[in-house]
Amino acid sequence: MRDLADQRDFKIGFAAVLNAFELADNQLYLDTAASEFNMLTPENSHKMGWIQPRRGEFRFDDADALADYAEANNMLLHGHPLIWYAQLPDWVQRLDPSDAETVMLEHIDAVAGRYKGRIALWDVVNEALEDDGRLRQSIWFKGMGEGYIGKAFEAARAVDPDAVLIYNDYDVVWENQKSDAMYALLQSELAAGTPIDGVGFQMHLRSGFDDYPSVERNLQRFADLGLDIYITEFDVALDAPDTLDTQAAVFQRSLEICLAQPRCKAMQAWGFTDRYSWRSAFTPLLLTDRYLSKPSYTAWQTTLKNFMR
Ligand code: XIL
């Protein structure tokens, strides 16, 4: 896949597990990833609960190792995420909201600052919206109100001016109440001058998914806002009685839509072997737990091969 993507100036990515270098099969894992992908996102190594376990104390080892590995293998590095409501350290969960702004700005300065010039794209704000489209009552929202989103992007831009800055969320790739709310949010942020460059669509799907015309229309309206589009966390849970071929069709149609959309810059799987997936029980990825190609892999490879931009 990687050679095909490179030839087409397209990014095909994966999420790298925490402590990848310590896996029992680390050599196989790292070699496979380097031959198949030209983009990498740390699945957990940048999250606040991991990287800033105590206030002002940072644990950069794993993120550093992944950054070195990405550079050694000429992969685009995608940071994920700077500001999120989940996987927070205990001390942030206990934080007084009046401290939230200082803590947010210190965190962005420290983390985006450490990787300045090395991270091509950052998910600056992740999952700010509830399923019904209201803003989540996160610690960041409680401390700063809706303004935290603009402040986070401004801070990221100031510390790493060359990074592409992304708003990332889930269940927003087709038209629904939540994607309508995301559209309104991004439109008003852009009007206010917030430096948002792109929108990340997670795409944690199930094998019964088939609402493709809605996805095409939805991506187009975000493209029309002037935003680049990234499919950031693709996987497809296989539900009975669907087959691996049904799952592969979801991989194929989704990649076709991204490739056909001029502003869609990258397609990234949330892992690659079913052995290491947050939805392992649903075998949602490209390779079996023994690293054998699944129909989903062949579908992506063939789709890339057939595509000429
Ligand atoms: C998931 C990871 O894959 C798991 O390993 C972790 O235990 C929980 O988080 N949306 C996101 C990702 O933005 O960071 C989440 O990743 C999946 C949903």
Side-chain angles (χ1 to χ4, degrees):
M1 293 195 301
R2 182 190 178 143
D3 293 342
L4 294 164
D6 280 340
Q7 288 158 18
R8 286 153 179 79
D9 204 16
F10 184 70
K11 295 299 168 196
I12 190 97
F14 80 108
V17 295
L18 192 63
N19 297 323
F21 301 86
E22 275 129 59
L23 295 173
D25 58 355
N26 59 357
Q27 209 54 54
L28 177 61
Y29 180 89
L30 296 165
D31 289 350
T32 304
S35 68
E36 293 298 340
F37 302 102
N38 56 15
M39 172 175 171
L40 177 156
T41 304
E43 182 176 0
N44 287 300
S45 325
H46 289 160
K47 290 175 179 171
M48 195 173 191
W50 174 263
I51 210 163
Q52 195 182 172
R54 280 164 294 280
R55 187 163 182 177
E57 231 178 79
F58 292 86
R59 174 159 56 172
F60 288 122
D61 297 22
D62 199 54
D64 285 354
L66 286 174
D68 292 345
Y69 164 82
E71 277 161 10
N73 291 287
N74 199 19
M75 291 162 156
L76 206 71
L77 186 57
H78 171 219
H80 166 81
L82 287 171
I83 297 302
W84 191 22
Y85 77 94
Q87 288 183 272
L88 293 170
D90 290 347
W91 67 272
V92 175
Q93 294 179 41
R94 292 191 304 263
L95 200 66
D96 189 297
S98 64
D99 284 338
E101 181 164 356
T102 310
V103 165
M104 180 180 89
L105 298 175
E106 285 173 359
H107 184 73
I108 292 174
D109 278 354
V111 178
R114 180 164 184 100
Y115 300 104
K116 175 181 158 68
R118 299 182 76 190
I119 294 215
L121 355 138
W122 263 116
D123 290 342
V124 177
V125 175
N126 192 33
E127 302 181 352
L129 295 167
E130 299 278 5
D131 294 349
D132 66 4
R134 283 180 310 167
L135 283 166
R136 255 177 224 287
Q137 302 287 305
S138 64
I139 177 67
W140 317 115
F141 181 84
K142 285 181 188 149
M144 292 167 267
E146 186 166 353
Y148 88 87
I149 296 174
K151 287 178 179 170
F153 278 91
E154 297 284 357
R157 179 65 95 225
V159 56
D160 190 353
D162 295 329
V164 171
L165 305 183
I166 295 173
Y167 176 82
N168 190 55
D169 216 322
Y170 67 90
D171 286 356
V172 285
V173 81
W174 63 95
E175 299 157 307
N176 58 44
Q177 200 177 357
K178 185 172 178 181
S179 62
D180 287 350
M182 183 169 85
Y183 183 84
L185 172 68
L186 296 182
Q187 189 175 42
S188 86
E189 290 294 342
L190 289 170
T194 299
I196 303 182
D197 305 308
V199 49
F201 296 88
Q202 294 187 10
M203 288 192 87
H204 297 294
L205 300 180
R206 313 202 69 93
S207 51
F209 185 80
D210 66 358
D211 208 357
Y212 302 108
S214 180
V215 174
E216 284 168 338
R217 289 190 301 267
N218 191 48
L219 294 188
Q220 189 58 51
R221 67 173 166 161
F222 286 94
D224 290 342
L225 282 179
L227 293 166
D228 281 334
I229 290 166
Y230 298 87
I231 308 301
T232 47
E233 305 185 14
F234 192 83
D235 58 14
V236 181
L238 180 58
D239 291 318
D242 289 345
T243 64
L244 289 168
D245 289 330
T246 316
Q247 180 184 51
V250 181
F251 273 77
Q252 176 166 340
R253 285 296 292 126
S254 302
L255 180 56
E256 283 170 354
I257 289 173
C258 173
L259 289 169
Q261 166 53 254
R263 295 210 75 139
C264 189
K265 303 294 179 194
M267 179 64 135
Q268 170 156 276
W270 203 238
F272 58 95
T273 161
D274 287 338
R275 184 182 207 105
Y276 304 118
S277 162
W278 73 312
R279 305 165 94 189
S280 226
F282 297 96
T283 60
L285 290 170
L286 296 155
L287 306 181
T288 68
D289 59 358
R290 300 188 164 211
Y291 292 74
L292 299 174
S293 301
K294 293 169 62 183
S296 51
Y297 176 87
T298 313
W300 268 15
Q301 192 188 43
T302 308
T303 304
L304 286 168
K305 210 174 280 170
N306 291 341
F307 169 72
M308 302 284 159
R309 190 166 264 180

